[in-house]
Amino acid sequence: MGVRLMVVDDHRLLAEALASALKLRGHRVLAAAAPAAGAADLVISRAPEVCLLGTAAPAEPGTFDPVVKIKRERPQVAVVVLGPVPSPRGIAAAFAAGASGYVRHDERIEGVERAMMKARAGEAAVAPQLLQGAFGELLNPVAQPDDEGQRLLRMLTPREVEVLVRVADGEDTRLIAAGMGIAPSTARTHVQRVLMKLGVGSRLEAAALAARTGLLDRAGPVG
């Protein structure tokens, strides 16, 4: 039986893509909303069974304030957070706010779907390996945690960073080429190199990874 749900993310492209994928799998998507800042009121008014809430910064103060508000006004709504591999503080903050689950942003659609079903059934929807990783970091903290967004940024040339930003903005090869003053074949080569360096198989996956790790914010506007 399909889940009645909402998808909320600051990046509309990601919210709409996930919503479309879930619709194809028989779920009823009430809304795909962005930005997340005003999402709590929308979720409260629509009262879905499950709300998928995307965040790029689970450890930042205030990130899960919308979850607190949703659970206060609509305790029956199960909130599943989609985010990067969390620090112990991040995953703890999600559950402390009232979230029913935490799923990695790069999880396959089947994994997201399983988390939705478990959350709707009142179960905690979190992969054992995420909990193991969180406890492992608590027991063996690193002095300077790796900044994934910065690490990825260092892998790309300035030209490739611009290509990635344009991909995340939804530009196709023709628009990328026109915007950068290069041939379409050159633009296509740049895109393929970006995908290869990021270790992803599609433009959508590249955009999702860049958004979730904060790489897009670091890269700044294209010029």
Side-chain angles (χ1 to χ4, degrees), residues 130-205:
L130 276 186
L131 289 178
Q132 291 168 3
F135 281 118
E137 188 176 331
L138 283 172
L139 294 173
N140 303 287
V142 293
Q144 293 182 333
D146 180 41
D147 185 326
E148 184 70 2
Q150 187 62 41
R151 184 184 70 81
L152 293 175
L153 197 58
R154 287 197 297 267
M155 293 171 56
L156 305 176
T157 67
R159 202 78 159 160
E160 290 166 348
V161 171
E162 181 176 353
V163 168
L164 178 58
V165 173
R166 291 180 181 277
V167 166
D169 284 340
E171 294 187 10
D172 58 18
T173 301
R174 179 180 57 81
L175 287 176
I176 292 172
M180 297 179 65
I182 57 178
S185 59
T186 303
R188 193 173 300 110
T189 298
H190 281 315
V191 170
Q192 291 304 315
R193 285 178 178 168
V194 168
L195 298 185
M196 181 182 66
K197 286 185 177 182
L198 296 183
V200 297
S202 70
R203 296 181 181 215
L204 181 58
E205 288 180 86

Side-chain angles (χ1 to χ4, degrees), residues 44-63:
I44 290 167
S45 67
R46 303 297 295 273
E49 293 176 298
V50 175
C51 171
L52 297 177
L53 178 70
T55 178
E60 288 189 4
T63 295

Side-chain angles (χ1 to χ4, degrees), residues 40-91:
D41 291 333
L42 184 58
V43 174
I44 290 167
S45 67
R46 303 297 295 273
E49 293 176 298
V50 175
C51 171
L52 297 177
L53 178 70
T55 178
E60 288 189 4
T63 295
F64 298 117
D65 287 351
V67 181
V68 174
K69 185 173 183 180
I70 291 168
K71 297 302 291 185
R72 183 175 64 244
E73 301 293 331
R74 295 283 188 180
Q76 74 275 20
V77 176
V79 180
V80 176
V81 175
L82 305 178
V85 178
S87 66
R89 183 174 60 178
I91 195 168

Side-chain angles (χ1 to χ4, degrees), residues 6-24 29 31-34 109 204 212:
M6 289 180 59
V7 183
V8 177
D9 197 290
D10 281 329
H11 298 276
R12 184 173 294 277
L13 174 66
L14 306 184
E16 292 179 350
L18 181 56
S20 296
L22 290 170
K23 283 181 182 178
L24 291 175
V29 180
I109 190 67
L204 181 58
R212 297 298 187 196

